[in-house]
Amino acid sequence: MRPARRRRAAPSPAARAASYAVLGCWTCVVLFPLYWLAVTSLKTPIDVFGGPFYLPFVDFHPTLSAWRYIFVDLRNDTLRPYANTVVVATTSSVIALVLGSAAAYGLARFPYRPRLGAILLLGGCVALAVVALSLSVPLPAAVLGAAAVFAAVWALTRGRFRRSVTNDDIAFWMISQRILPPVAVVIPVYVLFQRLHLLDTRTALVATYVASNLPIVVWLMRDYFRSLPVELEECAAVDGASRYRIFWSIVLPPSVPGLVATFLFVLVFAWNEYLFALFLTSARAQTLPLTVAAQNATRGPQWWYMSVLILIMIVPVIAMAIALERYMARGLLVGAVKG
Amino acid sequence: MALRSDERRGPPLRGADPAVRAARAPEGLGARLERWSPWAFLLPAALLVLLFSLFPLVLSLYFSLVRLTFAPGGFRLTFVGLANYATLLAGTGRQEFLGVLASPSPPGWAALGLAAAGLAWWLARAAGGAVSGPGLLGRAAVAAAAGAGLWLVVSTLAPHGRPGSLVVTLIYVAAGVGVEYALGLGLALLCAQRLPGRRFFRVVFLLPMMITPVGIAYLFRMLTDTGKGPFTPLWKLVGLSSFSWVNDPWGARAAVLIGDVWQWTPFMFIVLLAALESQPVEPVEAAVADGASGWQVFRHITFPAILPVSSTLVLIRMIEAFKIVDLPNVLTSGGPGTATESLTLHAYVIWRALDLGGSAAIAYILLLVVTVAAVSYVRLVHRRAVEAA
């Protein structure tokens, strides 16, 4: 890649000591809450309410009863949300990565000039379908009707629209979708899945998470692809390779670091997502954040169970973050610098 | 394998030879696929995002104009025009949404006066300079929005006022993003030095970002408990053992902010660190050789170099911070009263009370606020920061 840079000069001993002091403080700030979580998961209710005890074996007797309760007594109520979270988060992240990096590649390499009129027309037709739906027209009829209107108007006015939008406009529109507060979207999405009889299914969650994570993937990967040299692709095109083949065997392999970082990023979003899961699932497709939140039951928050749940929830992502930390910074940086 | 060789041995179909077919038909399937490949790359993602943004937006707008009532055998949506917005801005929802307005205190008046003077000067300079037409109009709109927002903040924070969910959200965004950026930058500067064990700090500092906000909220509920939490001896020492963070409005807001800062400082840290490490060292070395102090190096070399990244980071965090909901919901349930309620939480609370229209109206106002904030930030700060680099 780049030629090796010269190393920075080492700081003076005094500066070094001060730096370590500050960094050590922040390490405590980060790690103490996690330590407290681990300690609390080993406590009985009496230990928790008896006052703060800090060291297992020293000022209280650790027990695995909370762990046993979560994994043995509540086995299915823990493992089902866990399986849901794993399946929904990984599936949605993989799909978002595939669709998003394809779109990002398109935006990085081909000039798109869609007519503004066509886009507005499409928007109008979607609005029409929504109005029809809210007047309780059945879904297939509404979709087909809107599609027919779109096709008819498009055919009639073909070639009259002059103004078109550019790649940058499309990319900005994509990322501007992150501005949409989920709360403005969630009730209509609820109604949509209700109509499709998909409420409380993993499919609904996967579809929602793919849509909400796609803009991030497109934004990060577009800049990544733009930073790759284009000559190799041109050579392959001269040799007769198709665009799909070029993308698969020439563009994707060197992009693995960016893909890994982006994947980790969207995976964490999907893994921890709360609001959509709260609205769209109730029992069967419930994910872990809801299980954690539900521990604040009628008897008040049960810290010992909650600590176990939070711990088993964060261990996989933390393990991944530690393993992939190098990729993470670079992948994020590329997107942020160009943005 | 057997199947394949059978196929090979079979008699060749007429026109199956690709060359022959290409010569006969103007465009084969392969060529057509190739010609449409740009759209095949873009459209699946674009259509999905379009569907999930446009459809809900249209439906939400519709919901914000109706009222949900229960009729025998189901429910009915009655069109009420802008009544839901009027309720929030001037009617019964006003206390919770805008807050209680009071006449500002003397420092508040001073801040308002200063801000008004600043905005006027900024507009006058723009009018006298190269900016004209739509640009000037946009600036006037931004100035008006900023002035109105500031007036709202000052008058609800006055002695007898009480901030509503709009102002609370603005406080979360401004204070949270500011503190996170400052902390993240400081830690990144320290970690960018040549210190043994840097990798340990990098990995540890990254961790909070990975944790679900719901979990963080419970975690900080445990930690801020003054009776049984780990810091109880400390509270006893300073005589605050009967003080409850979550029962004091500002204490509760501080608890939410601390949780938010704990979670999102890593995001600032990790990207700023990567930006710092990708800077060349030669200009710094030259400046040091010329006798520049550490502050001068930072002010004139390091900071300008990371300004574009900083600006993007602040933009991203600002947009995300407006959506804060999990932390106040779990940590304080929006309380005491509605003191820690963010706009999203407010919308959720009144949705749960079956006020569909009011909830959609809040969501729309939030969308408007975020859009105005993001667009003015991009136009006025971000572009300049990127161009300056």
Side-chain angles (χ1 to χ4, degrees):
Chain A
M1 298 252 148
R2 275 186 212 186
R5 282 185 300 275
R6 280 159 62 201
R7 301 293 303 269
R8 272 154 217 279
S12 69
R16 180 184 288 205
S19 305
Y20 274 126
V22 175
L23 292 174
C25 280
W26 189 255
T27 310
C28 292
V29 169
V30 169
L31 289 185
F32 181 76
L34 298 177
Y35 169 76
W36 193 250
L37 210 56
V39 171
T40 307
S41 78
L42 299 175
K43 287 179 178 174
T44 61
I46 299 163
D47 293 329
V48 172
F49 288 122
F53 296 118
Y54 301 93
L55 300 168
F57 297 110
V58 177
D59 53 8
F60 76 96
H61 187 70
T63 158
L64 285 176
S65 68
W67 290 83
R68 207 175 302 122
Y69 177 78
I70 294 290
F71 278 107
V72 181
D73 299 354
L74 287 182
R75 194 173 51 217
N76 286 333
D77 289 336
T78 312
L79 295 185
R80 198 188 45 238
Y82 208 96
N84 284 336
T85 307
V86 172
V87 170
V88 168
T90 46
T91 320
S92 68
S93 306
V94 167
I95 298 176
L97 200 64
V98 170
L99 295 181
S101 50
Y105 178 69
L107 286 173
R109 288 288 185 268
F110 310 117
Y112 292 94
R113 294 287 175 272
R115 304 281 181 201
L116 192 61
I119 296 169
L120 293 179
L121 181 61
L122 185 65
C125 289
V126 172
L128 200 68
V130 172
V131 171
L133 273 180
S134 63
L135 297 174
S136 61
V137 174
L139 183 81
V143 170
L144 285 178
V149 171
F150 178 77
V153 179
W154 177 241
L156 283 176
T157 59
R158 204 179 167 131
R160 296 220 188 136
F161 300 123
R162 281 281 170 265
R163 293 191 66 168
S164 56
V165 297
T166 63
N167 284 21
D168 282 338
D169 295 328
I170 301 174
F172 183 76
W173 165 73
M174 279 264 187
I175 198 65
S176 73
Q177 298 311 305
R178 291 298 300 178
I179 294 178
L180 275 188
V183 73
V185 175
V186 70
I187 298 168
V189 169
Y190 176 89
V191 174
L192 172 76
F193 285 123
Q194 194 186 35
R195 285 288 165 98
L196 297 172
H197 302 290
L198 283 175
L199 276 186
D200 200 16
T201 60
R202 293 170 180 177
T203 318
L205 278 186
V206 168
T208 315
Y209 291 169
V210 168
S212 60
N213 277 335
L214 264 177
I216 306 178
V217 178
V218 172
W219 191 250
L220 291 176
M221 289 314 296
R222 175 181 175 237
D223 287 319
Y224 208 94
F225 291 140
R226 281 205 298 208
S227 72
L228 295 177
V230 75
E231 289 78 18
L232 211 57
E233 293 168 48
E234 283 167 353
C235 286
V238 169
D239 287 349
S242 77
R243 270 291 167 191
Y244 309 98
R245 208 193 143 83
I246 293 174
F247 178 58
W248 181 254
S249 21
I250 295 180
V251 176
L252 281 187
S255 311
V256 167
L259 289 170
V260 169
T262 310
F263 179 77
L264 187 63
F265 203 57
V266 293
L267 182 81
V268 168
F269 265 110
W271 187 273
N272 294 334
E273 206 284 332
Y274 177 66
L275 192 74
F276 281 118
L278 183 67
F279 276 78
L280 297 182
T281 68
S282 49
R284 280 181 297 129
Q286 203 188 51
T287 54
L288 270 180
L290 296 180
T291 316
V292 173
Q295 293 306 306
N296 190 12
T298 42
R299 283 165 291 175
Q302 296 165 307
W303 302 122
W304 42 99
Y305 300 144
M306 211 175 283
S307 304
V308 177
L309 283 172
I310 298 175
L311 277 177
I312 61 171
M313 185 168 176
I314 64 183
V315 162
V317 271
I318 284 192
M320 253 188 294
I322 291 175
L324 304 175
E325 180 263 343
R326 274 170 191 284
Y327 294 120
M328 188 115 183
R330 254 186 73 201
L332 287 178
L333 183 66
V334 174
V337 172
K338 301 277 184 58
Chain B
M1 285 312 267
L3 196 71
R4 234 192 204 171
S5 57
D6 277 354
E7 271 179 358
R8 285 236 179 103
R9 250 185 270 128
L13 292 162
R14 261 188 5 176
D17 182 23
V20 175
R21 194 155 54 170
R24 205 168 286 164
E27 206 175 37
L29 182 66
R32 192 169 294 181
L33 269 178
E34 185 67 13
R35 197 162 66 85
W36 285 100
S37 66
W39 294 105
F41 278 117
L42 179 66
L43 273 186
L47 285 182
L48 195 63
V49 174
L50 191 69
L51 178 76
F52 264 81
S53 58
L54 202 59
F55 158 79
L57 270 185
V58 175
L59 201 58
S60 247
L61 185 64
Y62 170 69
F63 282 156
S64 77
L65 302 175
V66 300
R67 183 163 293 151
L68 177 78
T69 46
F70 287 93
F75 59 86
R76 214 174 43 222
L77 298 173
T78 334
F79 188 81
V80 293
L82 293 174
N84 288 319
Y85 294 93
T87 309
L88 287 174
L89 296 175
T92 48
R94 182 179 155 157
Q95 279 209 0
E96 197 179 350
F97 181 71
L98 288 180
V100 179
L101 302 174
S103 74
S105 54
W109 278 119
L112 268 183
L114 266 180
L119 287 173
W121 175 77
W122 175 66
L123 271 181
R125 213 187 57 163
V131 187
S132 63
L136 200 59
L137 214 63
R139 271 156 209 253
V142 168
L150 198 74
W151 173 76
L152 188 67
V153 170
V154 166
S155 48
T156 51
L157 295 184
H160 295 288
R162 190 152 47 80
S165 56
L166 179 62
V167 175
V168 169
T169 309
L170 291 175
I171 293 173
Y172 287 153
V173 173
V177 176
V179 173
E180 282 153 26
Y181 179 75
L183 273 176
L185 179 62
L187 293 170
L189 283 171
L190 289 178
C191 259
Q193 302 173 92
R194 223 175 103 195
L195 290 174
R198 286 177 355 169
R199 188 160 152 69
F200 167 78
F201 292 119
R202 296 171 62 135
V203 174
V204 167
F205 292 176
L206 188 64
L207 297 184
M209 210 173 109
M210 303 287 143
I211 301 175
T212 175
V214 179
I216 292 182
Y218 279 119
L219 191 50
F220 277 83
R221 240 175 102 172
M222 276 193 260
L223 296 177
T224 52
D225 191 315
T226 42
K228 287 133 214 144
F231 301 116
T232 307
L234 191 68
W235 303 131
K236 284 205 175 119
L237 199 69
V238 295
L240 280 175
S241 57
S242 59
F243 170 83
S244 176
W245 285 73
V246 289
N247 286 338
D248 176 77
W250 283 105
R253 282 175 205 135
V256 171
L257 270 175
I258 292 172
D260 194 56
V261 166
W262 190 76
Q263 175 165 35
W264 287 111
T265 300
F267 176 66
M268 299 279 193
F269 164 77
I270 189 89
V271 183
L272 285 173
L273 179 60
L276 285 173
E277 286 184 339
S278 67
Q279 299 307 322
V281 282
E282 287 78 14
V284 177
E285 280 175 353
V288 171
D290 288 347
S293 71
W295 166 250
Q296 282 172 326
V297 168
F298 173 76
R299 173 73 188 75
H300 296 287
I301 297 173
T302 315
F303 189 69
I306 59 168
L307 192 60
V309 180
S310 302
S311 175
T312 308
L313 272 176
V314 169
L315 178 67
I316 294 175
R317 262 311 290 153
M318 184 178 81
I319 289 172
E320 300 289 324
F322 269 109
K323 306 177 192 167
I324 182 168
V325 58
D326 331 34
L327 267 173
N329 186 21
V330 174
L331 189 53
T332 61
S333 320
T338 57
T340 53
E341 223 171 63
S342 67
L343 281 174
T344 301
L345 182 57
H346 188 183
Y348 175 64
V349 166
I350 70 173
W351 178 80
R352 223 171 26 188
L354 296 173
D355 184 0
L356 182 70
S359 178
I362 293 181
Y364 247 82
I365 295 179
L366 174 58
L367 177 62
L368 186 74
V369 171
V370 185
T371 311
V372 168
V375 170
S376 11
Y377 182 85
V378 167
R379 300 233 151 193
L380 301 174
V381 181
H382 185 60
R383 286 213 179 138
R384 204 164 299 171
V386 171
E387 277 161 15

